[in-house]
Amino acid sequence: VGRILGKALYEGVTLDIPLASFFVRRVLGAANSLDELPSLDPQLHASLLFTKTYEGDVGDLCLTFALDVDHFGQRRSVDLRPGGAAIPVDNSNRIQYVHLVADHHLNRQVS
């Protein structure tokens, strides 16, 4: 798909195809935010909204500022902020956590 789009851009051909909003913003050089996440991963978006609006103690969810990602078949941990694996998510920092996870998936991982 990437080669076809690249060839069309190079040749000046207009294609009438629907593209995900996160992809279009990325191609145009704009940073994505939580609002574009449903076009990439609706389930992750729903999970982050749950975390953002959870009425109980977010600490009960046992989250940290690190993600386990699959990188060419290898599982590895990626810190969302320096020392993130050692920083628990609680009610006072959950908004930051939600935005950092969305930023990772939309802007850092997709690049």
Side-chain angles (χ1 to χ4, degrees):
V1 174
R3 288 182 182 189
I4 294 170
L5 290 175
K7 177 83 169 145
L9 285 172
Y10 180 77
E11 298 288 335
V13 176
T14 303
L15 298 176
D16 188 22
I17 55 172
L19 298 173
S21 63
F22 80 91
F23 179 75
V24 172
R25 289 182 55 83
R26 192 73 178 150
V27 168
L28 295 175
N32 288 297
S33 67
L34 185 61
D35 296 332
E36 284 78 41
L37 190 57
S39 66
L40 175 65
D41 191 337
Q43 186 175 7
L44 176 61
H45 182 257
S47 295
L48 290 177
L49 287 182
F50 172 80
T51 303
K52 184 177 176 181
T53 60
Y54 185 63
E55 293 183 11
D57 182 11
V58 176
D60 294 341
L61 301 176
C62 300
L63 300 170
T64 64
F65 280 85
L67 297 175
D68 290 329
V69 297
D70 182 20
H71 186 70
F72 297 111
Q74 301 285 334
R75 299 289 289 167
R76 65 182 180 123
S77 181
V78 175
D79 287 345
L80 297 173
R81 58 188 258 195
I87 303 170
V89 177
D90 57 31
N91 288 350
S92 67
N93 62 14
R94 66 177 162 186
I95 301 299
Q96 182 185 26
Y97 170 80
V98 166
H99 287 282
L100 286 173
V101 171
D103 178 65
H104 173 78
H105 285 280
L106 291 166
N107 298 312
R108 293 193 282 165
Q109 182 177 337
V110 175
S111 55

